[in-house]
Amino acid sequence: MEETSREAVATAVQRVAGMLQRSDQLDKVEQYRRREARKKASVEARLKAAIQSQLDGVRTGLTQLHCALLDVKDIQSSLADVSNDWRQSINTIENLKDVKDAVVQHSQLASAVENLKNIFSVPEIVAETQQLIEQAELLQAHRKLMELECSRDDLMYEQYRMDSKNTSDMHLISNYFEDVQGLSDELAKQLWMVLQRSMVTVRRDPTMLVSVVRIIEREEKIDRRMVDRKKQSGFIPPGRPKRWKDKMFEVLEGTVSTRIEGTQALTRDVDRMWLVRLLEITRKYVLDDLIIVKNLMVQCFPPHYNTFNRFFSLYHNAVSTRVKELAAEDLEANEIVSLLTWVLNTYKSVEMMGNPELQSECDINQLESLLPQDVVDNLLSNYIKTFTSNITGWLRKALETDKKDWQKETEPEADQDGYYQTTLPAIVFQMFEQNLQVAAQINGDFKEQVLKLCLKQMNSFLIRYREEAVLYKEDHLRNRQLPQCYVQYMIAIINNCQTFKESINSLKRKYSQSSEPTDSNAAIEKTLNEVAKEGCQFLLDEVFLDLEHHLNELLTRKWLTGSHAVDTICVTVEDYFNDFNKIKKPFNQVGLEQSPVVVEREGAERMIKEADQFKFLFSKLAAVSGEDTDRLCGAIAAIAEVFKLTDPTLLFLEVTTLVSKYPDIREEHIQALLAVRGDASREMRQMIIGTLSENKVSYAGVTQPIFKDIPVPTITMTTMTTMTSMATAKLLK
């Protein structure tokens, strides 16, 4: 206390010191004193009020505690009196057993009196209810039925309470109300009929469907009440619980299943497209029905039924069951693809379960697959087997059809560029394209698998194609008059090889994700090149068979006396060349490519060797006559060097050397030499001839002209080139 006083004094001293720091503040001492006095009085007043409030609270609390104590004592006394009264009344309660029995009997009689009217009018109510059911007044019929069942159940319950072992009275009541169960069953049949036609009913008369749902909900409540009473008393009326709600969902499930199963109206025997039509009808039915459920039927059922999701699951399960049944059938290849495309793509697309109108109500990603993966794999495996067998047959038939065209007396068709062709490549790759398009609808891996199978079958087909081309040539050689358009169709066969190449590359670009070359690709490329090369050789053979007799006339006495063999050769070659213009690149160069590679080198070596033989022979002869024959033999070797040259870029230099040695050589000779080589481009020939013409050297001083008197037939350069290539091919034989 003293410490508190000291602290108060110290605080007061500090405040006074703060107020009186300046001399002019001394005049305000009286003002400060009055202000502090007012503060002190205010604090004391508040302190007194607070203390008075606390004292009042304490006084009130004590008063309440005193009253509570008195109440507790009164209650204790009352409980003691109740305990004494209870002990004294035990015997009295036991003496009231007869009164209790009388009360039960009174309750039964009261129930009987209450239902007396219904009991006497049971036959009449049964007839009215039956009539209401027949008139489809289901709500009113159910109300009458509930009255009858309530009367029966109450009587039976009271009888059970009075004497649960008295079965005779229970049977008596049951027999009296036996028609009630029949009415219940009849009403149930009407309910199930309405539910079975719910998709139609909800559009024509939705109130009927609502009535059915209301009746079922009423029965569900009665079922629950009866089950609860059974737990208490052990009694439950006959026919309870009815479980009409469960039955309703069973009926709806059966209705959906029947709807899906009933979509098949056609079979394979009647319509080859039966499965496509079946799947399309199923798609349409499912989508239309679910839209009806979303927009109309949901409003007819209570929200807790979760109606749309329930129907969504019912349709999914029904479709899955149906699809599994279809997958177990002996399906053809196109049917397998149709089914898998529908299952894997169409089903969850916007055309069906993923339709925008349904997306707000369901999540298609939560749907299980319609078919297990093992079933899908088995179907794909069966498709590959069937497709392999089918495509082999298709290719065989296509080749047989093309072979028949080879025997026609009319020329084959030409494409927009004028090249001969047959329909075989288009038919083959149309088959491939169709099957790859179908396979692509299933998935990417399956598409790659089908593409590999197509290429594998293509390789086998081309081997047969090559064999048939050889047989075609051999049959023609037996009678060269038939077929009349042999050359044109052989050109078409060659051109087909290029078309096959282009089509294969197109398929690979379009349907393959891999750019890696495969064994099938290499084998196909090799076979096509061989077919084309052999076809070109067959054409060369055909030319030389026609020219053989005329070529044999050259350098003979008949030729010297005026034979027209060269004219005939030129006309024949030019005629063939008009047909050979219809050969596509690069196969139109096959004959020309053979010339520089084989003939020019080997032929040049042979010319040099034989020139040495001539030189030796003429040297011996010149020893007698005294003439110089080295220049003559040297010309043969110089020409051979032109043929022997392997680098065409050096051709100008070699020809210039030849002209410098033999100035009497003419432009016609140079053109003939270049034509025999066959690898000089038109531009190079023009450059060589032009340059030589500008720098022409006079041969007036040449003592021994060689080329002056050697004639060159007047023919076109094109004809000369073709004739030379034909000759080259003959040398290769």
Side-chain angles (χ1 to χ4, degrees):
M1 190 68 178
E2 292 179 358
E3 185 179 354
T4 302
S5 299
R6 285 195 300 270
E7 290 178 356
V9 171
T11 302
V13 170
Q14 288 180 357
R15 291 190 63 187
V16 170
M19 295 178 184
L20 301 176
Q21 290 181 356
R22 298 189 308 274
S23 60
D24 60 339
Q25 291 177 334
L26 293 174
D27 296 335
K28 298 180 180 180
V29 170
E30 185 62 26
Q31 183 181 351
Y32 293 154
R33 186 184 65 78
R34 288 195 300 270
R35 186 177 65 185
E36 292 299 322
R38 286 196 299 271
K39 287 184 178 179
K40 178 181 178 183
S42 176
V43 171
E44 288 177 351
R46 289 199 301 272
L47 182 60
K48 288 178 181 179
I51 292 173
Q52 185 63 39
S53 177
Q54 292 293 329
L55 290 174
D56 291 343
V58 171
R59 186 181 297 109
T60 301
L62 291 174
T63 301
Q64 291 176 348
L65 287 174
H66 180 69
C67 293
L69 180 60
L70 294 177
D71 290 341
V72 169
K73 289 179 178 180
D74 290 341
I75 292 171
Q76 186 176 10
S77 176
S78 298
L79 287 175
D81 294 340
V82 170
S83 179
N84 292 331
D85 292 342
W86 177 74
R87 290 190 181 91
Q88 293 174 4
S89 64
I90 291 177
N91 296 330
T92 304
I93 293 174
E94 292 178 353
N95 294 331
L96 292 176
K97 185 176 183 303
D98 294 337
V99 177
K100 179 181 178 182
D101 293 339
V103 171
V104 172
Q105 187 175 8
H106 180 271
S107 176
Q108 293 172 347
L109 292 174
S111 177
V113 170
E114 183 181 352
N115 293 289
L116 191 61
K117 181 180 179 181
N118 290 338
I119 292 173
F120 285 116
S121 60
V122 165
E124 181 181 350
I125 297 175
V126 168
E128 291 178 1
T129 306
Q130 183 67 45
Q131 185 177 3
L132 290 171
I133 292 175
E134 292 174 356
Q135 293 174 354
E137 299 290 342
L138 302 183
L139 276 178
Q140 296 183 28
H142 185 250
R143 188 177 298 108
K144 295 287 185 181
L145 177 64
M146 285 195 299
E147 292 177 2
L148 292 171
E149 289 181 337
C150 183
S151 299
R152 179 197 64 184
D153 297 345
D154 287 346
L155 290 173
M156 296 184 76
Y157 177 64
E158 294 300 335
Q159 176 61 36
Y160 180 84
R161 288 177 60 192
M162 185 174 65
D163 187 2
S164 61
K165 297 181 180 180
N166 188 351
T167 57
S168 61
D169 289 346
M170 297 289 280
H171 285 308
L172 179 63
I173 298 172
S174 179
N175 291 336
Y176 186 75
F177 287 91
E178 62 179 352
D179 292 336
V180 175
Q181 186 60 45
L183 289 175
S184 178
D185 295 340
E186 186 66 25
L187 179 61
K189 290 181 181 178
Q190 295 298 319
L191 300 182
W192 311 149
M193 287 177 61
V194 173
L195 290 171
Q196 288 170 355
R197 303 179 68 252
S198 57
M199 289 298 170
V200 177
T201 304
V202 77
R203 285 177 288 181
R204 294 182 179 178
D205 187 8
T207 56
M208 177 66 75
L209 185 59
V210 172
S211 298
V212 170
V213 176
R214 289 179 61 188
I215 292 171
I216 292 173
E217 279 293 289
R218 289 175 183 174
E219 290 294 336
E220 282 294 301
K221 292 179 181 178
I222 297 173
D223 278 349
R224 289 194 294 270
R225 189 169 67 249
M226 293 297 106
V227 170
D228 291 340
R229 190 166 69 177
K230 180 183 179 182
K231 294 177 181 178
Q232 297 175 359
S233 64
F235 171 79
I236 190 167
R240 292 289 178 184
K242 293 184 179 180
R243 297 189 177 89
W244 278 6
K245 184 177 179 180
D246 294 341
K247 179 64 177 178
M248 174 184 67
F249 291 131
E250 291 178 7
V251 171
L252 291 175
E253 182 178 0
T255 302
V256 171
S257 298
T258 303
R259 180 116 168 116
I260 299 303
E261 292 172 358
T263 54
Q264 183 170 351
L266 300 173
T267 61
R268 185 185 297 121
D269 298 335
V270 178
D271 187 352
R272 299 293 297 174
M273 300 296 290
W274 69 276
L275 183 57
V276 174
R277 300 184 190 280
L278 167 62
L279 294 174
E280 175 57 21
I281 293 173
T282 301
R283 182 200 67 79
K284 188 176 185 304
Y285 279 10
V286 171
L287 179 58
D288 292 348
D289 289 357
L290 287 177
I291 291 176
I292 291 173
V293 171
K294 173 180 176 290
N295 296 331
L296 300 177
M297 194 171 292
V298 168
Q299 304 172 16
C300 300
F301 290 84
H304 66 273
Y305 275 36
N306 200 12
T307 305
F308 181 81
N309 287 333
R310 188 180 292 272
F311 270 93
F312 195 80
S313 298
L314 289 177
Y315 275 95
H316 174 74
N317 295 334
V319 171
S320 178
T321 301
R322 183 63 180 130
V323 166
K324 289 175 183 176
E325 293 173 355
L326 293 172
E329 295 185 12
D330 186 17
L331 299 177
E332 296 179 354
N334 61 318
E335 295 171 349
I336 291 175
V337 171
S338 298
L339 180 62
L340 289 179
T341 301
W342 194 87
V343 168
L344 300 177
N345 299 322
T346 304
Y347 183 69
K348 291 187 178 182
S349 70
V350 295
E351 298 178 358
M352 197 170 176
M353 306 303 266
N355 189 276
E357 289 198 48
L358 306 179
Q359 285 184 352
S360 60
E361 301 291 336
C362 64
D363 184 5
I364 60 174
N365 296 322
Q366 301 298 323
L367 288 176
E368 297 181 357
S369 299
L370 289 177
L371 288 176
Q373 188 59 42
D374 59 332
V375 176
V376 174
D377 294 340
N378 185 55
L379 287 174
L380 292 176
S381 177
N382 291 339
Y383 173 82
I384 291 297
K385 294 178 183 177
T386 307
F387 175 66
T388 302
S389 175
N390 289 346
I391 200 171
T392 302
W394 293 336
L395 292 174
R396 185 184 303 109
K397 291 179 181 178
L399 183 55
E400 291 298 325
T401 302
D402 206 55
K403 284 169 55 181
K404 292 179 181 178
D405 292 343
W406 298 351
Q407 306 299 325
K408 289 182 178 180
E409 296 180 358
T410 56
E411 294 183 355
E413 297 179 356
D415 61 13
Q416 66 271 19
D417 297 322
Y419 297 118
Y420 287 136
Q421 63 179 5
T422 67
T423 58
L424 182 63
I427 293 174
V428 170
F429 283 94
Q430 184 179 8
M431 290 188 296
F432 287 171
E433 179 82 18
Q434 291 173 351
N435 284 277
L436 285 168
Q437 287 177 353
V438 170
Q441 296 176 1
I442 297 177
N443 56 53
D445 293 339
F446 185 64
K447 176 189 65 177
E448 292 278 355
Q449 188 177 359
V450 172
L451 177 59
K452 290 180 181 178
L453 178 60
C454 290
L455 294 178
K456 181 179 179 182
Q457 292 297 317
M458 186 66 191
N459 188 39
S460 301
F461 167 76
L462 290 176
I463 294 175
R464 293 194 298 273
Y465 189 57
R466 178 184 180 185
E467 294 171 351
E468 293 298 337
V470 174
L471 293 175
Y472 182 54
K473 185 262 299 187
E474 293 176 352
D475 290 342
H476 172 70
L477 292 180
R478 295 187 185 96
N479 182 0
R480 296 189 62 239
Q481 301 302 317
L482 297 176
Q484 294 182 9
C485 297
Y486 167 78
V487 172
Q488 290 80 2
Y489 276 99
M490 185 58 71
I491 293 174
I493 292 173
I494 297 170
N495 290 339
N496 285 348
C497 294
Q498 182 62 22
T499 306
F500 278 133
K501 284 185 178 183
E502 295 170 355
S503 300
I504 290 172
N505 292 332
S506 175
L507 287 182
K508 287 164 59 180
R509 286 193 303 270
K510 188 173 181 180
Y511 294 103
S512 179
Q513 302 297 327
S514 173
S515 58
E516 297 285 333
T518 63
D519 294 340
S520 296
N521 295 340
I524 290 173
E525 182 79 13
K526 179 182 178 182
T527 305
L528 287 172
N529 289 336
E530 290 175 349
V531 172
K533 183 177 180 180
E534 290 176 355
C536 291
Q537 185 61 57
F538 297 160
L539 293 175
L540 298 179
D541 293 344
E542 185 71 8
V543 174
F544 281 104
L545 285 174
D546 283 346
L547 297 179
E548 186 174 14
H549 173 71
H550 304 292
L551 291 173
N552 290 335
E553 287 186 9
L554 298 178
L555 302 178
T556 62
R557 184 174 296 278
K558 181 179 180 181
W559 175 67
L560 291 173
T561 58
S563 170
H564 297 286
V566 172
D567 295 334
T568 303
I569 291 172
C570 293
V571 172
T572 302
V573 170
E574 189 167 5
D575 182 56
Y576 272 108
F577 182 78
N578 291 331
D579 287 331
F580 293 167
N581 275 333
K582 306 294 180 64
I583 299 178
K584 288 184 177 181
K585 295 180 180 180
F587 301 128
N588 60 348
Q589 299 295 324
V590 171
L592 297 177
E593 290 174 355
Q594 292 172 346
S595 175
V597 174
V598 180
V599 176
E600 289 173 3
R601 293 184 60 82
E602 295 183 357
E605 297 292 342
R606 179 90 180 239
M607 289 175 65
I608 293 173
K609 181 179 179 181
E610 292 180 349
D612 291 339
Q613 291 179 324
F614 283 130
K615 182 178 180 180
F616 177 73
L617 173 62
F618 293 151
S619 295
K620 293 198 314 184
L621 297 175
V624 179
S625 62
E627 295 181 1
D628 183 10
T629 60
D630 289 347
R631 180 174 173 78
L632 296 174
C633 298
I636 298 176
I639 294 173
E641 291 296 332
V642 175
F643 292 154
K644 186 178 180 181
L645 186 65
T646 59
D647 187 356
T649 60
L650 301 177
L651 191 58
F652 175 77
L653 181 62
E654 196 67 40
V655 172
T656 303
T657 303
L658 176 64
V659 172
S660 64
K661 290 183 178 180
Y662 304 96
D664 60 325
I665 193 169
R666 300 194 302 277
E667 291 182 6
E668 296 91 329
H669 297 131
I670 301 299
Q671 289 177 347
L673 290 176
L674 295 178
V676 170
R677 276 191 59 88
D679 61 347
S681 64
R682 181 179 180 181
E683 292 75 10
M684 180 174 287
R685 292 199 302 269
Q686 291 176 347
M687 181 190 71
I688 293 174
I689 298 301
T691 303
L692 294 178
S693 298
E694 294 174 358
N695 302 286
K696 191 170 184 180
V697 179
S698 174
Y699 62 90
V702 177
T703 58
Q704 193 179 19
I706 298 176
F707 294 95
K708 183 183 68 169
D709 298 324
I710 299 178
V712 177
T714 305
I715 57 176
T716 64
M717 289 302 298
T718 301
T719 304
M720 187 178 297
T721 301
T722 304
M723 182 176 68
T724 304
S725 64
M726 301 299 114
T728 300
K730 185 175 180 182
L731 292 174
L732 288 172
K733 292 174 60 178

